[in-house]
Amino acid sequence: MAGVAGPRMGQGAAGGDGDDSLYPIAVLIDELRNEDVQLRLNSIKKLSTIALALGVERTRTELLPFLTDTIYDEDEVLLALAEQLGNFTGLVGGPDFAHCLLPPLESLATVEETVVRDKAVESLRQISQEHTAVALEAHFVPLVKRLASGDWFTSRTSACGLFSVCYPRASNAVKAEIRQHFRSLCSDDTPMVRRAAASKLGEFAKVLELDSVKSEIVPLFTNLASDEQDSVRLLAVEACVNIAQLLSEDDLEALVMPTLGQAAEDKSWRVRYMVADKFSELQKAVGPKITLNDLIPAFQNLLKDCEAEVRAAAAHKVKELCENLPMEGRETIIMNQILPYIKELVSDTNQHVKSALASVIMGLSTILGKGNTIEHLLPLFLAQLKDECPEVRLNIISNLDCVNEVIGIRQLSQSLLPAIVELAEDAKWRVRLAIIEYMPLLAGQLGVEFFDEKLNSLCMAWLVDHVYAIREAATNGLVKLVQKFGKEWAQNTIVPKVLVMANDPNYLHRMTTLFCINALSEACGQEITTKQMLPVVLKMAGDQVANVRFNVAKSLQKIGPILDTDALQEEVKPVLQKLGQDEDVDVKYFAQEAISVVAQRLRKLDFPVKDSEEPSTPGADKNHFLRPRDPERTLGSGERDGRLSGSVASEKTVEAVQFRGTHAAKGPAYQRHVNTRDTLAQLEIAELVHFPQSRD
């Protein structure tokens, strides 16, 4: 086409009265030859538009030959082309002309890049379904034969994926040829070709006659399962699942199981891993009798394999294996042949193995029943609940509902709750943090009554922990608990206990009250926030510690959108105005920010706001934030509790504060903020901000 269409387009352009319908293909050729990969990629993605403009005749005679001749581009362009051609049947005239799409796809199926070949094979499989039986033998089967006998391994690997789609509709003579080509590829000299053949062996077996499966596929499976390359052997294991589904129990025992047994003991851990990974599917395919005689012993060996990856894969399948055992005698088989190996894995040296087991072991309780669960499984759960790996603990806590259904909440609490409480009071704060993060999940498993009786006091104790990260996590946990148990529960159980902390002698605990109110206000709603929380916040505005007072301002700003206009105008605004005259510059700063937010809120609600109520920047000296502090007032853990979050880190930020005061009424777009979590900003601020002497 490049030699034909090019001159035709040149003549049209020179004559001035040429065929305008040539313009789209000219653009395509132009962009396909452009140095910019993105332009070439875009042109390929527009192929369907170009084909519509050209019509089916010219698409077949000009566009497709051109594409076939110019397959030398970047991989992403070729990938897009292979994908486009799979949907091109309607653009070349329908199924009767689907064979026209085969040449470019055949070329794409031979390129070096794997993803391009795979996409070309996918498109060829799609197009094969649109061929008539006659066209399939006339055009598609010869293509498969050419690919299967190609000089380069790339074409032969692509051919492996095409046998199964053309075999069912071929004549008997052609079927024999197709089987012969597949046998040749299974014994190819190149490992990549044998690997491709092994990956398609099970798929090909499904479309063959039963006699051919026994006489040809099974020997191929045996040879591939003993291949010198472990990457070929592991793919043969995957094919075994499909083959086993086609054979009778006697044939399986005689033809397949010896080879599968060798695979389960293969010298390569990757092959053994594949056996473990496919174990449930193999179990269903071979049936209960062979499972008891052959698969259970193999599974025991996999559970005690020397490689952790194999043990982990086998541990993942424990529950499925037990569920699929025949009901008669299942409990005995599990107790005698599976459970002893599980007990060893609970104390495995590899955390991935323990985590895999913890994700499924709780499910055994429903299979073994209450008595066996209490006697044999609960000790294992307890050991995993105390495991040093957090993922193991999480997997156990996440599945407590399985055990709860079998043994009941009381028995569960007597057995596992002491371990949970012990972890919740661990000396290492990271252990405590892990339990806090699981607590909402645990509460949902156990129910509100049990939680109030056993765990509520524990959650409240975390709010006064000496580590800020624990207090913060406990606060966030309360929000999740309110979302689970509802507003009424929060009003009666949580909120009163939180508000009592407002009178705590430790200012950090008083600040925690404010943080809890910030978090809970939205979850609890306007009524609870206004009637119960707001009076406490307003009272704390007179606290002696500046850190508490400016956090009051921040809290009022946070809960402002939840309050009604009466509360904002009559209660919140006077307190903020008083804080705006505070002797501490930071309190003034946050009070002004809060006043700005409240004013905007009232304005949106059409509540009259006087000009005098607009926020103004305190002080005329722009360096009032940089005045030296009393050296005795040192930084304590309060900096983690939010003091730094609003401090000014530089002279530019100080100017921004004045800017905010001048333009606050214009909305958030004019308000500039400092991300004081930034490490450099914190270092700079550390010299500027004062704190009371009490430490965390």
Side-chain angles (χ1 to χ4, degrees):
M1 176 187 166
V4 178
R8 285 177 61 191
M9 284 184 288
Q11 292 165 8
D17 55 352
D19 186 0
D20 287 342
S21 64
L22 287 171
Y23 181 70
I25 193 64
V27 171
L28 172 66
I29 294 172
D30 239 11
E31 290 191 350
L32 278 176
R33 293 170 175 168
N34 196 292
E35 292 183 2
D36 188 346
V37 175
Q38 192 59 46
L39 279 178
R40 299 201 299 274
L41 184 61
N42 290 340
S43 70
I44 290 295
K45 290 181 178 179
K46 295 172 185 174
L47 274 182
S48 57
T49 305
I50 300 297
L52 283 171
L54 290 174
V56 293
E57 178 70 28
R58 294 185 62 194
T59 296
R60 294 196 302 267
T61 58
E62 298 181 31
L63 179 58
L64 291 179
F66 170 74
L67 293 173
T68 306
D69 293 340
T70 56
I71 294 177
Y72 55 83
D73 211 327
E74 300 289 340
D75 293 333
E76 59 258 48
V77 177
L78 298 182
L79 179 64
L81 177 59
E83 185 176 9
Q84 290 283 319
L85 291 177
N87 303 309
F88 240 59
T89 304
L91 299 171
V92 295
D96 291 341
F97 297 95
H99 63 273
C100 297
L101 297 170
L102 299 182
L105 284 172
E106 181 178 358
S107 298
L108 289 168
T110 63
V111 300
E112 188 174 354
E113 179 55 46
T114 305
V115 293
V116 177
R117 293 202 309 270
D118 290 346
K119 183 58 71 174
V121 170
E122 183 182 325
S123 294
L124 281 169
R125 289 169 66 95
Q126 186 176 335
I127 291 172
S128 71
Q129 306 303 320
E130 297 166 348
H131 280 70
T132 62
V134 175
L136 193 76
E137 286 200 10
H139 302 287
F140 196 86
V141 173
L143 175 146
V144 176
K145 292 178 181 177
R146 288 195 299 272
L147 289 175
S149 56
D151 293 334
W152 288 93
F153 78 91
T154 53
S155 66
R156 302 200 295 277
T157 56
S158 296
C160 294
L162 300 174
F163 289 107
S164 61
V165 295
C166 62
Y167 185 87
R169 292 192 289 159
S171 62
N172 290 334
V174 174
K175 283 182 177 180
E177 292 181 33
I178 293 174
R179 292 198 303 272
Q180 176 58 44
H181 278 290
F182 191 81
R183 285 199 301 273
S184 300
L185 294 179
C186 286
S187 57
D188 195 275
D189 293 335
T190 309
M192 287 80 81
V193 177
R194 299 200 302 276
R195 193 157 58 232
S199 68
K200 300 298 180 182
L201 182 64
E203 179 185 290
F204 189 46
K206 285 183 176 181
V207 300
L208 261 64
E209 301 79 9
L210 183 59
D211 290 340
S212 297
V213 172
K214 293 180 184 179
S215 62
E216 299 186 40
I217 294 298
V218 171
L220 292 177
F221 163 69
T222 304
N223 292 335
L224 291 171
S226 58
D227 194 274
E228 62 181 12
Q229 296 284 330
D230 63 351
S231 59
V232 176
R233 299 200 299 274
L234 66 87
L235 290 170
V237 172
E238 196 170 349
C240 181
V241 175
N242 291 329
I243 295 172
Q245 293 171 345
L246 304 172
L247 300 176
S248 66
E249 192 174 279
D250 293 338
D251 290 334
L252 275 173
E253 193 72 63
L255 301 174
V256 175
M257 291 315 297
T259 304
L260 185 58
Q262 292 175 2
E265 299 175 354
D266 196 275
K267 61 184 179 181
S268 170
W269 71 267
R270 296 170 64 195
V271 179
R272 301 196 302 274
Y273 175 91
M274 182 60 75
V275 174
D277 189 54
K278 298 293 179 182
F279 210 88
S280 299
E281 298 167 49
L282 288 169
Q283 180 188 6
K284 293 176 183 177
V286 301
K289 183 180 177 182
I290 295 178
T291 296
L292 296 177
N293 296 336
D294 298 317
L295 289 191
I296 294 293
F299 192 71
Q300 292 172 339
N301 291 332
L302 293 172
L303 286 175
K304 60 179 183 179
D305 196 274
C306 60
E307 290 291 339
E309 287 85 352
V310 179
R311 297 198 302 275
H316 264 302
K317 302 298 177 180
V318 164
K319 180 185 174 184
E320 291 181 33
L321 172 77
C322 295
E323 285 177 335
N324 295 331
L325 289 172
M327 291 296 295
E328 185 179 353
R330 178 168 69 176
E331 184 178 318
T332 304
I333 295 170
I334 296 172
M335 295 300 298
N336 296 334
Q337 300 187 52
I338 303 297
L339 193 60
Y341 295 90
I342 292 176
K343 290 179 178 179
E344 293 181 15
L345 291 184
V346 168
S347 56
D348 197 275
T349 55
N350 186 281
Q351 70 178 36
H352 299 293
V353 176
K354 293 185 290 186
S355 177
L357 181 63
S359 66
V360 299
I361 191 173
M362 307 292 274
L364 295 182
S365 57
T366 57
I367 300 172
L368 293 178
K370 183 175 181 178
N372 287 324
T373 297
I374 294 173
E375 183 180 353
H376 298 285
L377 293 183
L378 274 182
L380 303 182
F381 301 159
L382 191 60
Q384 290 181 304
L385 196 56
K386 294 181 178 180
D387 195 273
E388 60 184 9
C389 175
E391 191 174 350
V392 175
R393 298 196 300 267
L394 175 61
N395 286 341
I396 291 295
I397 292 176
S398 301
N399 294 286
L400 279 178
D401 55 337
C402 299
V403 184
N404 186 18
E405 292 173 5
V406 177
I407 66 174
I409 190 65
R410 291 299 165 189
Q411 180 67 48
L412 182 64
S413 65
Q414 291 172 13
S415 306
L416 298 184
L417 188 63
I420 294 173
V421 173
E422 184 181 342
L423 289 172
E425 297 172 345
D426 195 276
K428 295 180 180 178
W429 70 269
R430 294 185 188 277
V431 177
R432 301 199 300 277
L433 183 64
I435 289 296
I436 292 172
E437 291 170 349
Y438 304 153
M439 191 55 68
L441 177 64
L442 186 60
Q445 307 268 338
L446 301 178
V448 62
E449 292 181 6
F450 182 83
F451 179 82
D452 285 344
E453 181 184 346
K454 302 289 186 181
L455 300 176
N456 192 306
S457 58
L458 201 58
C459 289
M460 300 310 299
W462 285 324
L463 292 175
V464 293
D465 195 279
H466 66 277
V467 176
Y468 172 68
I470 300 296
R471 300 196 298 273
E472 182 182 40
T475 301
N476 295 333
L478 287 182
V479 178
K480 295 177 183 177
L481 289 172
V482 173
Q483 291 170 348
K484 282 185 181 293
F485 296 151
K487 298 179 183 179
E488 185 178 347
W489 173 82
Q491 184 177 12
N492 298 329
T493 308
I494 292 296
V495 174
K497 295 180 180 180
V498 168
L499 299 182
V500 167
M501 293 167 53
N503 300 317
D504 194 288
N506 188 328
Y507 86 99
L508 294 173
H509 300 166
R510 301 198 297 275
M511 290 175 63
T512 301
T513 300
L514 294 172
F515 298 151
C516 288
I517 289 173
N518 293 347
L520 292 172
S521 58
E522 187 172 349
C524 290
Q526 184 183 87
E527 184 178 354
I528 297 175
T529 302
T530 304
K531 292 182 178 179
Q532 290 184 260
M533 299 182 187
L534 180 59
V536 175
V537 178
L538 297 176
K539 181 181 177 182
M540 294 176 72
D543 198 280
Q544 294 180 348
V545 180
N547 294 58
V548 177
R549 297 198 301 277
F550 76 62
N551 273 288
V552 167
K554 292 171 71 175
S555 293
L556 291 174
Q557 178 178 339
K558 171 72 176 177
I559 68 176
I562 301 170
L563 303 174
D564 58 27
T565 54
D566 291 339
L568 286 174
Q569 183 71 15
E570 297 173 9
E571 299 181 67
V572 173
K573 189 186 295 183
V575 171
L576 287 176
Q577 288 173 337
K578 182 180 178 182
L579 290 174
Q581 304 300 319
D582 196 277
E583 60 182 10
D584 187 277
V585 291
D586 296 316
V587 177
K588 289 181 182 179
Y589 169 77
F590 285 109
Q592 293 294 337
E593 274 209 335
I595 290 172
S596 173
V597 172
V598 169
Q600 290 177 27
R601 165 81 170 156
L602 292 173
R603 190 178 296 107
K604 287 179 181 177
L605 297 172
D606 296 327
F607 200 95
V609 180
K610 299 178 182 177
D611 293 339
S612 60
E613 293 171 350
E614 290 293 333
S616 60
T617 306
D621 181 8
K622 74 174 183 177
N623 292 317
H624 70 280
F625 278 89
L626 305 179
R627 289 198 297 271
R629 297 295 187 187
D630 185 345
E632 293 183 1
R633 303 178 78 179
T634 56
L635 287 173
S637 63
E639 84 180 45
R640 293 184 311 224
D641 284 319
R643 184 68 188 248
L644 293 184
S645 64
S647 301
V648 181
S650 65
E651 187 170 327
K652 287 185 178 180
T653 311
V654 176
E655 292 173 347
V657 174
Q658 289 188 315
F659 186 85
R660 183 188 292 107
T662 306
H663 299 284
K666 296 185 179 180
Y670 285 84
Q671 299 178 16
R672 297 165 60 185
H673 299 275
V674 182
N675 180 8
T676 53
R677 292 186 178 182
D678 182 82
T679 305
L680 294 176
Q682 288 184 344
L683 291 173
E684 187 175 355
I685 293 165
E687 299 299 325
L688 308 180
V689 183
H690 70 285
F691 286 85
Q693 290 185 351
S694 56
R695 288 181 176 271
D696 195 344

